[in-house]
């Protein structure tokens, strides 16, 4: 068994360990240049911009390809290395409760801002392209609550790693992790094998990320080529209001909560995750940063088990940005069509949407589809107004993704604090830039176990 003094010595040696020169900052500077170039190409050559849109799709698909292996390895190593299954249940239950409360808070903020600004008032969108019915059908195709629960169970053990479903990968990883936990010493060789696979997965991921500028260029050129700059200008008030609301929620609500509970600065945390924010801006998908969030939260000082449960679950249930979007978009459409919603209708409709969004989390364009499905169920006469949102949905989806990502990062630190599964000293060391994140491997060999689990730390080889 390793005592605390040994652990302190290891941490000190780690802090002094020379880290190879990081050249990946050029990659993220290239992403910024690619985004600017994509805007110019989409503006000046819209047809070509739409043609290269597949580059963005292919890059996001490459990232999605790695999500299931990352989640599987993280959770199996986290759970397999702890002694008590109750710890995992405590983290999961606390996470779901927290996600429910914060989604409700986000919903309330969206209602307040939407009613104060009324960005759709005075618009005439009666002749807008009627795309709402198609999107509503997409939302309903996702199924109801029981279909959503049923979809968590994969067809086979291995299919959970190939279908692209985050929740299926999470479910199987939990089963494997608990099974290895029950096996005790007999499961140690398997854990060492999974640890080696995790290093391989993150190394592949670091190779894929060098294609980020190409993906960002294609994605941005495509959306500007389709909508043009004029379409963005027409709905500038809604977009600005939505972005400002997301900023208020992240820094004014989540930031205050983070400081009050964990004594961690949200500004330092955002700086620590700056590259992930650039990646999300370039691809308009928070999933593109999910594997890196898992790696960075572990490096920050949160236990593997907590990270492995909170982050994947949050990507399906902690949709703060989507909650704000659904609220403000619904109020905008109702006002723009001259049929404003009463307070009672707002609460009923939007609570329905928040529940429905959980089932549509894996559907492409889930936010827009859920918006259409909710309007069709509660106020069918507003459905045609969804067409006016379609033109700027891609730009709004970036704010949704950034807010969802920030909410999950902050939730990981908060739940780690509440469950005492976070190394507070390491958090401050990392956020003060004294212990840099290794961009080459994305894996820390010396971290991931809680002091109470030092007797199992040797399960993962250095």
């Amino acid at each position: 068994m390793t005592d605390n003094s040994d652990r302190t010595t290891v941490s000190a040696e780690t802090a002094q360990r020379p880290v190879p020169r990081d050249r990946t900052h050029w990659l993220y500077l290239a992403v910024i240049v690619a985004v600017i170039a994509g805007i110019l190409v989409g503006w000046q050559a819209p047809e070509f911009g739409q043609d290269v849109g597949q580059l963005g799709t292919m890059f996001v698909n490459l990232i999605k390809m790695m999500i299931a292996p990352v989640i599987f390895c993280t959770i199996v190593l986290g759970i397999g290395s702890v002694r008590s299954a109750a710890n995992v249940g405590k983290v999961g239950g606390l996470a779901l409760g927290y996600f429910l409360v914060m989604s409700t808070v986000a919903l309330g903020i969206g209602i307040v801002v939407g009613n104060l600004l009324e960005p759709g008032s005075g618009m005439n969108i009666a002749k807008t392209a009627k795309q709402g019915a198609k999107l509503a059908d997409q939302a309903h195709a996702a199924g109801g609550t029981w279909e959503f629960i049923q979809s968590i169970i994969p067809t086979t053990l291995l299919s959970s790693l190939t279908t692209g479903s985050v929740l299926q990968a999470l479910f199987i990883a939990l089963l494997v992790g608990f099974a290895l936990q029950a096996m005790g010493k007999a499961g140690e060789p398997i854990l060492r094998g999974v640890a080696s696979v995790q290093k391989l997965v993150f190394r592949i991921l670091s190779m894929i990320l060098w294609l980020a500028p190409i993906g960002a260029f294609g994605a941005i050129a495509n959306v500007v080529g389709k909508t043009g700059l004029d379409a963005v200008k027409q709905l500038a008030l809604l977009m600005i209001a939505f972005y400002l609301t997301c900023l208020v929620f992240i820094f004014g609500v989540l930031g205050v909560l983070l400081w009050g509970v964990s004594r961690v600065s949200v500004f330092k945390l955002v700086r620590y995750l700056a590259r992930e924010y650039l990646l999300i801006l370039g691809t308009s998908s928070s999933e593109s940063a999910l594997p890196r969030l898992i790696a960075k939260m572990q490096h920050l000082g949160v236990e593997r088990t907590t990270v492995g449960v909170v982050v994947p679950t949050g990507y399906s249930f902690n949709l703060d940005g989507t909650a704000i979007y659904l609220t403000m978009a619904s109020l905008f459409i109702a006002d723009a069509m001259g049929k404003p919603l009463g307070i009672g209708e707002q609460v009923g409709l939007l609570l329905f949407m928040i529940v429905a969004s959980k089932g549509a989390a894996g559907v492409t364009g889930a936010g827009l589809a859920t918006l259409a499905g909710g309007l069709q169920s509660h106020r069918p006469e507003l459905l045609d107004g969804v067409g006016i949102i379609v033109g700027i949905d891609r730009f709004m989806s970036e704010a949704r993704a950034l807010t969802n990502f920030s909410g999950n990062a902050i939730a990981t630190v908060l739940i780690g604090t509440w469950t005492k599964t976070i190394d507070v000293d390491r958090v401050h060391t990392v956020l003060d830039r004294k212990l840099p994140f290794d961009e080459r491997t994305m894996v820390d060999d010396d971290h991931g176990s809680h002091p109470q689990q030092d007797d199992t730390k040797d399960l993962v080889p250095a």
Side-chain angles (χ1 to χ4, degrees):
M1 180 179 295
T2 305
D3 59 23
N4 290 336
S5 61
D6 291 337
R7 181 179 177 83
T8 302
T9 301
V10 171
S11 299
E13 292 174 353
T14 302
Q16 297 174 358
R17 184 186 303 166
V19 177
R21 185 176 179 181
D22 177 24
R23 294 182 175 86
T24 57
H25 62 281
W26 296 110
L27 167 64
Y28 294 93
L29 290 175
V31 170
I32 296 176
V33 173
V35 168
I36 296 173
I39 293 174
L40 294 175
V41 169
W43 178 29
Q44 298 296 327
E47 291 186 2
F48 178 73
Q50 294 179 48
D51 290 339
V52 298
Q54 291 300 320
L55 293 174
T57 302
M58 288 189 291
F59 174 73
V60 173
N61 287 340
L62 282 172
I63 297 293
K64 289 182 177 180
M65 174 182 75
M66 305 304 298
I67 289 176
V70 167
I71 291 174
F72 179 83
C73 293
T74 301
I75 294 178
V76 169
L77 287 174
I79 296 177
S81 298
V82 301
R83 295 301 188 195
S84 174
N87 292 338
V88 180
K90 179 181 179 181
V91 170
L94 187 58
L96 289 175
Y98 170 81
F99 295 155
L100 178 62
V101 171
M102 294 316 298
S103 293
T104 304
V105 172
L107 177 73
I109 291 176
I111 289 178
V112 171
V113 175
N115 280 288
L116 287 176
L117 297 182
E118 297 183 344
S121 296
M123 291 185 65
N124 180 13
I125 61 173
K127 297 182 179 180
T128 298
K130 299 182 178 181
Q131 301 185 48
K134 179 181 177 180
L135 290 165
D137 290 341
Q138 181 184 2
H140 289 306
T145 303
W146 285 111
E147 287 78 4
F148 170 59
I149 296 174
Q150 185 177 359
S151 68
I152 297 176
I153 303 176
T155 305
T156 67
L157 188 69
L158 295 180
S159 68
S160 62
L161 302 178
T162 60
T163 59
S165 171
V166 171
L167 291 182
Q168 286 188 5
L170 175 62
F171 177 70
I172 292 300
L174 287 171
L175 291 180
V176 173
F178 284 126
L180 287 174
Q181 186 185 85
M183 290 172 64
K185 289 189 176 294
E188 292 180 12
I190 300 177
L191 277 177
R192 287 193 287 268
V194 174
S196 298
V197 171
Q198 184 192 46
K199 293 180 181 179
L200 172 65
V201 167
F202 277 113
R203 183 53 66 100
I204 295 173
L205 179 64
S206 66
M207 295 164 59
I208 292 174
L209 287 173
W210 281 99
L211 300 175
I214 298 175
F217 170 79
I220 297 299
N222 179 49
V223 68
V224 175
K226 285 183 177 179
T227 64
L229 297 181
D230 290 339
V232 178
K233 294 177 183 177
Q234 293 173 1
L235 297 169
L237 178 58
L238 175 61
M239 291 178 58
I240 293 173
F242 180 55
Y243 271 75
L244 289 177
T245 304
C246 290
L247 289 174
V248 169
F249 181 75
I250 293 172
F251 293 99
V253 177
L254 295 180
V256 171
L257 182 62
L258 180 64
W259 178 258
V261 173
S262 304
R263 284 295 185 266
V264 172
S265 169
V266 67
F267 298 101
K268 288 185 178 181
L269 183 62
V270 167
R271 182 182 66 185
Y272 174 62
L273 299 172
R275 296 185 177 187
E276 288 66 45
Y277 285 119
L278 286 176
L279 190 60
I280 293 171
L281 279 173
T283 62
S284 193
S285 170
S286 59
E287 285 189 340
S288 62
L290 187 152
R292 286 182 59 90
L293 178 61
I294 289 177
K296 278 204 162 183
M297 287 296 101
Q298 287 182 204
H299 175 75
L300 185 65
V302 185
E303 277 187 32
R304 278 198 188 100
T305 308
T306 302
V307 175
V309 172
V310 175
V311 174
T313 306
Y315 263 70
S316 292
F317 290 95
N318 190 32
L319 306 174
D320 298 330
T322 303
I324 297 173
Y325 164 81
L326 291 173
T327 307
M328 298 187 67
S330 298
L331 296 178
F332 173 83
I333 291 172
D335 290 341
M337 297 189 73
K339 302 174 182 177
L341 297 168
I343 295 299
E345 290 178 312
Q346 292 177 26
V347 175
L349 170 63
L350 299 171
L351 285 177
F352 166 81
M353 286 183 173
I354 295 304
V355 175
S357 68
K358 305 300 187 283
V363 180
T364 302
L368 196 60
T370 303
L371 173 65
L375 289 175
Q376 186 182 57
S377 300
H378 286 68
R379 289 285 296 273
E381 70 275 16
L382 299 179
L383 187 57
D384 290 337
V386 175
I388 195 65
I389 300 292
V390 173
I392 63 167
D393 180 71
R394 175 56 184 264
F395 294 97
M396 296 181 72
S397 71
E398 292 185 349
R400 289 202 305 264
L402 290 170
T403 306
N404 291 341
F405 177 83
S406 301
N408 287 323
I410 292 172
T412 305
V413 177
L414 290 173
I415 293 171
T417 303
W418 287 325
T419 57
K420 298 184 184 348
T421 55
I422 189 171
D423 186 336
V424 178
D425 293 335
R426 184 180 175 104
V427 170
H428 293 293
T429 301
V430 171
L431 294 184
D432 289 337
R433 298 179 173 181
K434 296 178 181 177
L435 186 59
F437 178 72
D438 191 340
E439 295 284 352
R440 298 174 307 112
T441 65
M442 300 190 198
V443 178
D444 287 326
D445 289 325
D446 66 306
H447 190 72
S449 298
H450 191 272
Q452 295 176 353
Q453 300 164 12
D454 287 332
D455 55 343
T456 60
K457 189 173 183 295
D458 59 345
L459 298 182
V460 182

